[in-house]
Each structure stands twice: as C-alpha cells, then as structure tokens.
Amino acid sequence: MPVAAVIGAQWGDEGKGKIVDMLAEKARYVVRFSGGDNAGHTVVNPLGEFKLRLTPSGIFYPSTISIIGNGVVLNPAVLLSEIEELNSRKVDTSRLYISDRAHLIMPYHIVIDGIEEDSLGDKAIGTTRKGIGPAYVDKVARTGIRAGDLLDKEVLRERLTPALEHKNKIITKVFGKKALSFDEIYSQYCEYADRLSPLICDTTVMLAAALDRNESILLEGAQGVLLDPDFGTYPYGTSSSPMAGNACLGSGLGPNQINHFLGVFKAFQTRVGAGPMPTELKDEIGDAIREYGQEYGTVTRRPRRCGWFDAVAARLSKRVNGFTSVAITRLDVLDKLARIKICTGYKVNGETIENFPASSAILEKCQPVYEELPGWEKPTGNIRIYKELPPKAQRYVKRLEEIIGCPSSLISVGKRREQTIVRKSIF
Ligand code: GDP
Ligand code: IMO
Ligand code: MG
C-alpha cells in the first residue's frame, strides 16, 4: 500500500512542487489535499517551467491521475485558466478530477479577504487576498458552496441566494462597500458548472479502488506547518491545515492508509507575509540568499523574508507531524556562503528555550541562539550522489538531520526534476 504524503515543513515554498513532480513518476494518483490558489508550486521539467496553483504537480505524467481533494478551496476561474495554460503548453489535463466535496471560492470571499486585510492596517496578516480564509470560514459555518453543488443549477441557486444575501449585508452595512450582484455571480458560476461538471465526482471512491489495486498514491500538501491554524504562528498563518493529519481529512483516506510522511524543509528559512520569524536576516546575507535563491513569492511576487535554518521550529514540525523522512531542498542556494548558521534555541526573557512557543507575541521577542558551521563554497547543482557532496555540505545535512530528529531521503540541489539526490526511495 504505497501511499506517501508530502508536507511543507516550514512557512511554505519549501519546494513541494519540485519534489511532487519528481516523485510522481512512480505515482498512479496525485492528490492535492489542502489550501487553494494561495499556493504556488513551481515545477521545472522537460516540458518547461510551470507555476501551479491548484492543479496537482503530477499532471505532467501521461499515466498519472490528478485529484483536487475535498480539503481544497477551489476558485473555478483560476483552475480554468490554469487548465487552459497547461493545454496551450501541450500538457494533457484530461485525467484531472475534482472532489464533489471541495468548497468553492466565491467573489464575495475575495472581496471580504481584501476588506478585512485593509481594515487590519499594520496588523494585517499579509494574506494572498485570494479569498482563502473567508471560504474556509464558510465551510465551517455551513454556508459554503461546494463543487458538487455545480452539478445541479437549482441547488446552486438555493445555496447562493441566502449566502450572498448574508454576505451583502456584511459588505454594505459593516464595511460600507457596494453589494455584489446575484445575477452576475449566478450566471458566471453556471458557466463554470458547464465547463467543470465532467471533472467533478466522488474522488474517495477512486482512491479506495486504487488502494484495492495496490496502486501508489501521492498526497500533495500546500503551505507549511508554521502557517497551520493550530501549530503555526497564529494568527499569522493560513486557514487550512497543511499538516500530515490533514492529508487524511483533505483527501478522504484513513490514517492507517498512509505509510510515508515526507517533511519538506529548505536548507534555510523563508517566509512571505507578516508574522514572527526569529531567524530573519535583515542584512546583506539575507539579501544574498534572496538573490542566489531568487526568493520571490510564486503567487504574489513579494520578496520572501530570508534567514538561517530554524531548528526550534523544525523540531516542532517533526514532532506534530511524525515525519518518516525529510527532503532538504535548495541546498545549492547556500553554495557560496563561507559560514552557515543554524538556530538551536531562542533567548527570551533571560531564559534559553528549545521549544517553539505557541504565542506569536513571545516569538516576536525571541532572539536566536546559533551554532555555526563552515560553508562548502563549491557548486552542488550537478551532484546526484550523496557521497559526492563536498564533505562540509554532508556535515551540514547530517547536522540538520540530527537536530530535526529525522533522516533525509531526498536532497534537492536545483530546481530541475533531475537535480535531486535520492538517498532512500519513497515508493
Ligand atoms: P512550493 O510552494 O513548496 O512548491 O515551492 P515554490 O515553488 O513556491 O518555491 C520554491 C522555489 O524553489 C521554486 O522557484 C523552485 O523552482 C525552486 N527550487 C526547488 N527546489 C530547489 C532547489 O533544490 N534548488 C534551487 N536553487 N531551487 C529550487
Ligand atoms: P505554498 O503552497 C507561502 C501565507 C501568506 C500569508 C498567510 C495567509 O506555495 O507553499 P492566505 O492567503 O492563505 O490567507 O494567507 O499565509 N501563504 C503562503 N506562504 N507559501 C504558500 O503556499 C502560502 N499560502 C499562504 O503569504 O502570510
Ligand atoms: Mg509556493
């Protein structure tokens, strides 16, 4: 029963897209299980460079079936334009399916996301403004509209009528903005329904049949653990769970049906959006990492905040996800540095702590405690065998493994599919 989940282990953008594209060669199914088009997963393979927002990163293999799982919030307009772009670049999307239980992002979610961010002023979360948070709010408030509702336009009308009435009250009476038109939204979503209906089905039935046939399944996470509503830097995070546990809930598999949890860590730390980041480097080293690594948001193009690897955060990530192995990505980005630091603890209120605090207010005050290792100062992008890495690079990887408490199965040394050192195969 080869089922593996790929989990972002930091603040997102760890290179999940690259790792999923590479592993998907041996997967029959690839299932996105959380987030929405706040995600930007970059894939570089012989077909070109792609920045996927909703489509699972296994779409490039002719024998792989791609599923947008129930845990995703789906903006139909974004998916349709992504499909069009993929098709125009000769990528076949005919094996893409959408869970009938996935919630839809509606125009009012996007409007409310923007209004709420603006009203927070300098306390804004720095969301992607794609309506992600408001769509998940409606899911738990039981006022959401699901992909399956597109299959019957009368049901769609019945769901949209009270939802929009309520949202328009908030938009006009609380925020003093212009109401949205029912007719416009309804006719737009009817059009989406005509185009997407053939893709919408009960994807749990497909996955159960795949398990019966012992076919391999890859579960693709979005975002990262430090953005999780429970374990991340609350409230500076996202609204769905990027965690290993949600790989089950967001796809419809049981916990005992997944046998590998791969945590993806960058060899350093980045973050987009607001919120505490104890190892952030606001100096020329941070700028150098950003420039070598081209650390700019895939979705919003915002410059990513860069810093040293945070082992305090990494240990939390390992602890609350139970990773069976880790992938260390972007090792090559550190190739030119003479000295490299790892944060092993935080100093706060005169004490040294080794566990990641729950409170963002405390985290803001934490000063990193570093250990320093020598850099290898040699290019690693062409290396495919672990033992051929410069000894100082091996030492850095070994130290990360020790400090995270988990062996590495993959080491990524470049953005292309083949720029990967496989230490232990996942499938
Ligand atoms: P994701 O959201 O986790 O899929 O990550 P993103 O695609 O948003 O950001 C990761 C960036 O790093 C992308 O530009 C990738 O092409 C790139 N990338 C992935 N792995 C490596 C690597 O090992 N080395 C380098 N230099 N770039 C990488
Ligand atoms: P991938 O899958 C990095 C961040 C946003 C913001 C916060 C909340 O590419 O790793 P949201 O729009 O989700 O309500 O924004 O979460 N964020 C991400 N940061 N990578 C992502 O996805 C992200 N998705 C959301 O920047 O700080
Ligand atoms: Mg990304």
Side-chain angles (χ1 to χ4, degrees):
M1 195 175 47
V3 183
V6 176
I7 308 295
Q10 295 160 314
W11 275 294
D13 301 329
E14 299 87 351
K16 299 174 292 291
K18 176 207 157 146
I19 297 293
V20 170
D21 169 65
M22 183 233 145
L23 292 175
E25 184 184 8
K26 292 194 184 146
R28 180 77 172 124
Y29 288 81
V30 178
V31 188
R32 248 294 288 277
F33 66 78
S34 66
D37 60 307
N38 48 351
H41 294 184
T42 313
V43 169
V44 182
N45 62 28
L47 298 171
E49 175 161 345
F50 300 86
K51 294 185 183 301
L52 302 173
R53 313 274 294 278
L54 287 161
T55 311
S57 304
I59 194 79
F60 304 98
Y61 295 98
S63 58
T64 303
I65 296 166
S66 299
I67 291 181
I68 296 176
N70 56 283
V72 171
V73 285
L74 177 82
N75 181 330
V78 174
L79 179 65
L80 285 164
S81 73
E82 196 162 295
I83 292 173
E84 267 171 32
E85 197 204 325
L86 286 165
N87 293 161
S88 75
R89 296 177 65 187
K90 310 269 178 285
V91 180
D92 174 14
T93 54
S94 62
R95 291 153 285 100
L96 174 65
Y97 297 91
I98 301 167
S99 164
D100 50 8
R101 292 172 170 89
H103 278 248
L104 300 179
I105 293 186
M106 306 299 292
Y108 44 82
H109 294 138
I110 298 170
V111 169
I112 291 171
D113 196 355
I115 296 175
E116 285 179 342
E117 278 289 277
D118 290 341
S119 70
L120 284 170
D122 63 2
K123 295 270 180 286
I125 308 289
T127 74
T128 56
R129 294 176 178 247
K130 306 288 179 199
I132 307 294
Y136 282 112
V137 166
D138 277 4
K139 176 174 178 173
V140 285
R142 295 159 293 191
T143 50
I145 299 175
R146 306 199 295 180
D149 297 332
L150 295 178
L151 299 176
D152 182 331
K153 287 177 184 158
E154 269 323 295
V155 172
L156 177 63
R157 178 187 290 281
E158 279 167 27
R159 295 292 299 164
L160 179 60
T161 304
L164 183 61
E165 229 171 79
H166 178 70
K167 289 301 187 272
N168 271 339
K169 275 189 200 147
I170 295 172
I171 290 170
T172 57
K173 299 207 161 102
V174 178
F175 294 114
K177 306 274 181 194
K178 203 168 148 264
L180 304 186
S181 146
F182 176 91
D183 291 342
E184 273 176 32
I185 297 177
Y186 182 67
S187 68
Q188 189 177 51
Y189 276 68
C190 284
E191 212 181 289
Y192 298 148
D194 292 338
R195 296 172 66 189
L196 291 176
S197 290
L199 283 57
I200 298 169
C201 61
D202 185 345
T203 51
T204 64
V205 174
M206 296 168 76
L207 293 178
L211 287 178
D212 287 344
R213 293 190 296 265
N214 207 35
E215 291 174 337
S216 51
I217 301 173
L218 199 52
L219 306 173
E220 177 176 359
Q223 290 80 50
V225 172
L226 303 176
L227 294 168
D228 180 70
D230 281 88
F231 293 104
T233 46
Y234 191 84
Y236 297 98
T238 192
S239 301
S240 68
S241 174
M243 308 261 301
N246 199 39
C248 302
L249 291 177
S251 63
L253 293 174
N256 65 341
Q257 290 166 323
I258 305 178
N259 41 22
H260 197 97
F261 292 97
L262 177 70
V264 185
F265 289 87
K266 275 185 199 189
F268 48 97
Q269 210 76 23
T270 62
R271 162 161 219 176
V272 260
M277 179 181 174
T279 64
E280 182 172 11
L281 292 167
K282 292 181 179 162
D283 59 8
E284 64 286 359
I285 300 182
D287 293 344
I289 295 175
R290 185 176 310 104
E291 288 318 306
Y292 297 154
Q294 279 304 296
E295 290 288 4
Y296 294 91
T298 308
V299 175
T300 56
R301 299 308 300 158
R302 290 177 287 181
R304 292 179 184 145
R305 300 157 66 191
C306 299
W308 298 120
F309 188 87
D310 187 338
V312 182
R315 281 194 296 265
L316 166 84
S317 205
K318 156 71 173 35
R319 189 164 67 241
V320 297
N321 286 284
F323 297 136
T324 38
S325 76
V326 299
I328 294 171
T329 63
R330 311 199 108 214
L331 189 69
D332 57 296
V333 173
L334 303 181
D335 281 353
K336 292 187 186 159
L337 299 179
R339 313 284 309 165
I340 301 174
K341 292 185 185 177
I342 300 176
C343 166
T344 55
Y346 299 147
K347 273 215 167 93
V348 60
N349 301 329
E351 260 186 272
T352 302
I353 58 170
E354 289 185 352
N355 289 324
F356 196 77
S359 155
S360 285
I362 295 177
L363 266 171
E364 288 287 6
K365 291 193 228 147
C366 286
Q367 292 302 318
V369 177
Y370 287 119
E371 66 179 41
E372 200 170 288
L373 278 81
W376 45 94
E377 299 182 90
K378 289 191 180 76
T380 54
N382 291 327
I383 296 173
R384 304 288 175 266
I385 296 168
Y386 181 71
K387 288 285 168 216
E388 291 177 7
L389 278 174
K392 286 175 184 157
Q394 291 186 35
R395 187 169 154 204
Y396 183 67
V397 169
K398 192 156 176 277
R399 187 64 188 132
L400 293 186
E401 291 178 325
E402 277 167 8
I403 216 157
I404 301 170
C406 195
S408 65
S409 49
L410 301 171
I411 295 168
S412 175
V413 291
K415 56 188 186 174
R416 285 184 284 116
R417 187 188 276 173
E418 67 277 12
Q419 288 181 295
T420 315
I421 298 171
V422 180
R423 302 188 71 192
K424 189 172 181 292
S425 60
I426 304 290
F427 288 125

Short mmCIF file of all heavy atoms in Angstrom, two decimals, residues 11-14 16 32 38-41 113 125-133 221-224 227 236-239 271-274 298-299 302, ligand 2:
data_model
loop_
_atom_site.label_atom_id
_atom_site.label_comp_id
_atom_site.label_asym_id
_atom_site.label_seq_id
_atom_site.Cartn_x
_atom_site.Cartn_y
_atom_site.Cartn_z
N TRP A 11 7.46 27.63 6.44
CA TRP A 11 6.40 28.62 6.16
C TRP A 11 5.96 28.57 4.70
O TRP A 11 5.64 29.60 4.10
CB TRP A 11 6.88 30.02 6.51
CG TRP A 11 6.71 30.38 7.95
CD1 TRP A 11 5.53 30.55 8.62
CD2 TRP A 11 7.75 30.66 8.91
NE1 TRP A 11 5.77 30.90 9.94
CE2 TRP A 11 7.11 30.98 10.14
CE3 TRP A 11 9.13 30.67 8.86
CZ2 TRP A 11 7.83 31.30 11.30
CZ3 TRP A 11 9.84 30.99 10.00
CH2 TRP A 11 9.19 31.30 11.21
N GLY A 12 5.97 27.41 4.10
CA GLY A 12 5.57 27.29 2.70
C GLY A 12 6.74 27.54 1.76
O GLY A 12 7.84 27.92 2.19
N ASP A 13 6.53 27.23 0.48
CA ASP A 13 7.54 27.46 -0.56
C ASP A 13 8.82 26.67 -0.33
O ASP A 13 9.91 27.11 -0.70
CB ASP A 13 7.87 28.97 -0.69
CG ASP A 13 6.65 29.79 -1.02
OD1 ASP A 13 5.75 29.26 -1.69
OD2 ASP A 13 6.59 30.96 -0.60
N GLU A 14 8.69 25.51 0.26
CA GLU A 14 9.88 24.69 0.55
C GLU A 14 10.38 23.97 -0.69
O GLU A 14 11.48 23.40 -0.67
CB GLU A 14 9.55 23.64 1.63
CG GLU A 14 9.12 24.21 2.99
CD GLU A 14 7.62 24.47 3.05
OE1 GLU A 14 6.93 24.37 2.00
OE2 GLU A 14 7.13 24.79 4.15
N LYS A 16 7.84 21.99 -2.52
CA LYS A 16 6.94 20.82 -2.58
C LYS A 16 6.63 20.45 -4.03
O LYS A 16 6.58 19.27 -4.38
CB LYS A 16 5.62 21.13 -1.83
CG LYS A 16 5.81 21.43 -0.36
CD LYS A 16 4.50 21.87 0.28
CE LYS A 16 3.99 23.21 -0.17
NZ LYS A 16 4.78 24.39 0.24
N ARG A 32 -4.05 16.79 -4.37
CA ARG A 32 -3.85 18.00 -3.56
C ARG A 32 -4.88 17.94 -2.45
O ARG A 32 -6.06 17.71 -2.70
CB ARG A 32 -4.11 19.24 -4.41
CG ARG A 32 -2.94 20.15 -4.75
CD ARG A 32 -2.27 20.90 -3.66
NE ARG A 32 -3.03 22.01 -3.10
CZ ARG A 32 -3.09 23.22 -3.62
NH1 ARG A 32 -2.46 23.53 -4.71
NH2 ARG A 32 -3.81 24.16 -3.00
N ASN A 38 -3.87 30.18 -3.10
CA ASN A 38 -2.79 30.86 -2.35
C ASN A 38 -1.47 30.11 -2.58
O ASN A 38 -0.40 30.67 -2.43
CB ASN A 38 -3.11 30.94 -0.85
CG ASN A 38 -3.57 29.62 -0.23
OD1 ASN A 38 -3.83 28.65 -0.94
ND2 ASN A 38 -3.69 29.59 1.08
N ALA A 39 -1.55 28.85 -2.94
CA ALA A 39 -0.35 28.06 -3.20
C ALA A 39 0.22 28.42 -4.57
O ALA A 39 -0.50 28.76 -5.50
CB ALA A 39 -0.70 26.57 -3.18
N GLY A 40 1.54 28.30 -4.65
CA GLY A 40 2.21 28.43 -5.95
C GLY A 40 3.30 27.38 -5.96
O GLY A 40 4.27 27.50 -5.23
N HIS A 41 3.10 26.31 -6.71
CA HIS A 41 4.05 25.20 -6.71
C HIS A 41 4.81 25.20 -8.03
O HIS A 41 4.22 25.00 -9.09
CB HIS A 41 3.31 23.87 -6.49
CG HIS A 41 2.70 23.78 -5.12
ND1 HIS A 41 2.05 22.67 -4.66
CD2 HIS A 41 2.69 24.67 -4.09
CE1 HIS A 41 1.66 22.88 -3.41
NE2 HIS A 41 2.01 24.10 -3.06
N ASP A 113 -11.87 39.13 1.97
CA ASP A 113 -10.44 38.96 2.31
C ASP A 113 -9.73 40.32 2.18
O ASP A 113 -9.00 40.75 3.09
CB ASP A 113 -9.81 37.94 1.33
CG ASP A 113 -8.47 37.38 1.80
OD1 ASP A 113 -7.96 37.84 2.84
OD2 ASP A 113 -7.93 36.48 1.13
N ILE A 125 -2.48 40.36 8.11
CA ILE A 125 -1.81 39.05 8.06
C ILE A 125 -0.86 38.99 6.85
O ILE A 125 0.09 38.24 6.84
CB ILE A 125 -2.87 37.92 7.88
CG1 ILE A 125 -3.99 38.00 8.93
CG2 ILE A 125 -2.25 36.52 7.85
CD1 ILE A 125 -3.62 37.64 10.33
N GLY A 126 -1.18 39.83 5.85
CA GLY A 126 -0.41 39.72 4.60
C GLY A 126 -0.90 38.53 3.78
O GLY A 126 -0.10 37.80 3.20
N THR A 127 -2.22 38.33 3.76
CA THR A 127 -2.76 37.19 3.01
C THR A 127 -2.52 37.40 1.51
O THR A 127 -2.17 38.50 1.08
CB THR A 127 -4.29 37.00 3.21
OG1 THR A 127 -4.98 38.02 2.49
CG2 THR A 127 -4.68 37.04 4.68
N THR A 128 -2.77 36.34 0.76
CA THR A 128 -2.64 36.45 -0.69
C THR A 128 -3.86 37.14 -1.31
O THR A 128 -3.91 37.33 -2.52
CB THR A 128 -2.48 35.05 -1.31
OG1 THR A 128 -3.61 34.26 -0.90
CG2 THR A 128 -1.20 34.37 -0.85
N ARG A 129 -4.86 37.45 -0.49
CA ARG A 129 -6.09 38.13 -0.93
C ARG A 129 -6.85 37.33 -1.98
O ARG A 129 -7.47 37.89 -2.88
CB ARG A 129 -5.78 39.54 -1.45
CG ARG A 129 -5.26 40.45 -0.34
CD ARG A 129 -4.87 41.81 -0.85
NE ARG A 129 -4.44 42.64 0.27
CZ ARG A 129 -5.09 43.72 0.69
NH1 ARG A 129 -6.18 44.13 0.09
NH2 ARG A 129 -4.65 44.40 1.72
N LYS A 130 -6.77 36.03 -1.87
CA LYS A 130 -7.45 35.16 -2.83
C LYS A 130 -8.78 34.64 -2.28
O LYS A 130 -9.40 33.76 -2.87
CB LYS A 130 -6.58 33.96 -3.20
CG LYS A 130 -5.19 34.33 -3.70
CD LYS A 130 -5.26 34.93 -5.08
CE LYS A 130 -3.87 35.31 -5.56
NZ LYS A 130 -3.89 36.25 -6.66
N GLY A 131 -9.16 35.11 -1.10
CA GLY A 131 -10.44 34.67 -0.52
C GLY A 131 -10.35 33.35 0.24
O GLY A 131 -11.38 32.74 0.57
N ILE A 132 -9.13 32.93 0.55
CA ILE A 132 -8.94 31.61 1.16
C ILE A 132 -9.59 31.54 2.56
O ILE A 132 -10.40 30.65 2.83
CB ILE A 132 -7.43 31.28 1.27
CG1 ILE A 132 -6.73 31.44 -0.08
CG2 ILE A 132 -7.20 29.91 1.92
CD1 ILE A 132 -7.11 30.49 -1.17
N GLY A 133 -9.21 32.48 3.41
CA GLY A 133 -9.73 32.48 4.79
C GLY A 133 -11.26 32.53 4.80
O GLY A 133 -11.91 31.66 5.39
N GLY A 221 0.71 18.30 -0.21
CA GLY A 221 0.31 19.37 0.70
C GLY A 221 0.54 20.73 0.07
O GLY A 221 1.24 20.87 -0.93
N ALA A 222 -0.09 21.73 0.66
CA ALA A 222 0.18 23.12 0.28
C ALA A 222 0.55 23.87 1.56
O ALA A 222 0.38 23.36 2.66
CB ALA A 222 -1.05 23.74 -0.36
N GLN A 223 1.10 25.07 1.40
CA GLN A 223 1.57 25.88 2.52
C GLN A 223 2.58 25.08 3.38
O GLN A 223 3.19 24.16 2.89
CB GLN A 223 0.40 26.40 3.37
CG GLN A 223 -0.44 27.47 2.68
CD GLN A 223 -1.44 26.92 1.69
OE1 GLN A 223 -2.19 26.01 2.00
NE2 GLN A 223 -1.46 27.46 0.49
N GLY A 224 2.68 25.44 4.65
CA GLY A 224 3.65 24.76 5.50
C GLY A 224 3.17 24.76 6.95
O GLY A 224 2.30 25.57 7.33
N LEU A 227 2.37 27.71 9.15
CA LEU A 227 1.20 28.52 8.78
C LEU A 227 -0.09 27.84 9.24
O LEU A 227 -1.19 28.32 8.97
CB LEU A 227 1.15 28.74 7.26
CG LEU A 227 2.27 29.58 6.63
CD1 LEU A 227 2.25 29.47 5.11
CD2 LEU A 227 2.14 31.05 7.05
N TYR A 236 -0.90 34.67 12.44
CA TYR A 236 -0.21 34.94 11.17
C TYR A 236 0.00 33.64 10.41
O TYR A 236 1.10 33.08 10.41
CB TYR A 236 1.11 35.67 11.44
CG TYR A 236 0.88 37.02 12.07
CD1 TYR A 236 1.00 37.19 13.45
CD2 TYR A 236 0.49 38.10 11.30
CE1 TYR A 236 0.76 38.43 14.03
CE2 TYR A 236 0.24 39.33 11.87
CZ TYR A 236 0.38 39.49 13.23
OH TYR A 236 0.12 40.71 13.81
N GLY A 237 -1.04 33.16 9.83
CA GLY A 237 -0.95 31.90 9.09
C GLY A 237 -2.10 31.81 8.12
O GLY A 237 -2.78 32.80 7.83
N THR A 238 -2.33 30.62 7.65
CA THR A 238 -3.41 30.43 6.68
C THR A 238 -4.60 29.76 7.38
O THR A 238 -4.58 29.56 8.60
CB THR A 238 -2.90 29.66 5.45
OG1 THR A 238 -3.90 29.74 4.43
CG2 THR A 238 -2.58 28.20 5.75
N SER A 239 -5.62 29.40 6.61
CA SER A 239 -6.87 28.96 7.23
C SER A 239 -7.18 27.49 7.02
O SER A 239 -8.22 27.00 7.43
CB SER A 239 -8.03 29.80 6.68
OG SER A 239 -7.79 31.14 6.97
N ARG A 271 9.93 33.21 4.53
CA ARG A 271 8.53 33.46 4.87
C ARG A 271 8.04 34.61 4.00
O ARG A 271 8.78 35.56 3.77
CB ARG A 271 8.49 33.80 6.37
CG ARG A 271 7.25 34.48 6.85
CD ARG A 271 7.01 34.41 8.34
NE ARG A 271 5.57 34.23 8.45
CZ ARG A 271 4.88 34.05 9.53
NH1 ARG A 271 5.48 33.99 10.70
NH2 ARG A 271 3.58 33.90 9.50
N VAL A 272 6.79 34.52 3.52
CA VAL A 272 6.14 35.68 2.89
C VAL A 272 4.98 36.08 3.76
O VAL A 272 4.37 35.24 4.39
CB VAL A 272 5.58 35.43 1.46
CG1 VAL A 272 6.49 35.94 0.39
CG2 VAL A 272 5.22 34.00 1.21
N GLY A 273 4.64 37.36 3.76
CA GLY A 273 3.55 37.81 4.63
C GLY A 273 4.10 38.18 5.99
O GLY A 273 5.29 38.06 6.27
N ALA A 274 3.18 38.62 6.86
CA ALA A 274 3.58 39.14 8.17
C ALA A 274 3.69 38.02 9.19
O ALA A 274 3.34 36.88 8.91
CB ALA A 274 2.56 40.17 8.62
N THR A 298 5.83 33.05 -5.40
CA THR A 298 5.37 32.48 -6.67
C THR A 298 4.03 33.08 -7.08
O THR A 298 3.77 33.30 -8.26
CB THR A 298 5.25 30.95 -6.50
OG1 THR A 298 6.48 30.46 -5.98
CG2 THR A 298 4.94 30.24 -7.80
N VAL A 299 3.18 33.37 -6.10
CA VAL A 299 1.83 33.88 -6.40
C VAL A 299 1.83 35.40 -6.45
O VAL A 299 1.31 36.01 -7.38
CB VAL A 299 0.82 33.39 -5.32
CG1 VAL A 299 -0.55 34.00 -5.55
CG2 VAL A 299 0.74 31.88 -5.32
N ARG A 302 5.96 38.87 -4.01
CA ARG A 302 6.55 39.64 -2.90
C ARG A 302 7.93 39.07 -2.58
O ARG A 302 8.12 37.85 -2.62
CB ARG A 302 5.67 39.50 -1.64
CG ARG A 302 4.33 40.21 -1.76
CD ARG A 302 3.49 39.99 -0.53
NE ARG A 302 2.94 38.65 -0.45
CZ ARG A 302 2.15 38.19 0.51
NH1 ARG A 302 1.82 38.98 1.51
NH2 ARG A 302 1.69 36.98 0.50
P1 IMO B 2 2.73 27.17 -0.99
O1 IMO B 2 1.78 26.02 -1.14
C1 IMO B 2 3.99 30.66 1.33
C2 IMO B 2 0.83 32.79 3.53
C3 IMO B 2 0.52 34.20 3.04
C4 IMO B 2 0.10 34.84 4.35
C5 IMO B 2 -0.65 33.71 5.05
C6 IMO B 2 -2.16 33.76 4.91
O2 IMO B 2 3.16 27.78 -2.27
O3 IMO B 2 3.84 26.83 -0.05
P2 IMO B 2 -3.80 33.21 2.89
O4 IMO B 2 -3.93 33.84 1.53
O5 IMO B 2 -3.51 31.75 2.88
O6 IMO B 2 -4.97 33.54 3.79
O7 IMO B 2 -2.52 33.95 3.54
O8 IMO B 2 -0.17 32.50 4.50
N1 IMO B 2 0.77 31.73 2.49
C7 IMO B 2 1.84 31.18 1.92
N2 IMO B 2 3.15 31.43 2.06
N3 IMO B 2 3.57 29.65 0.52
C8 IMO B 2 2.27 29.37 0.39
O9 IMO B 2 1.81 28.31 -0.30
C9 IMO B 2 1.33 30.16 1.07
N4 IMO B 2 -0.02 30.17 1.14
C10 IMO B 2 -0.34 31.12 2.02
O10 IMO B 2 1.65 34.81 2.50
O11 IMO B 2 1.23 35.13 5.12
#
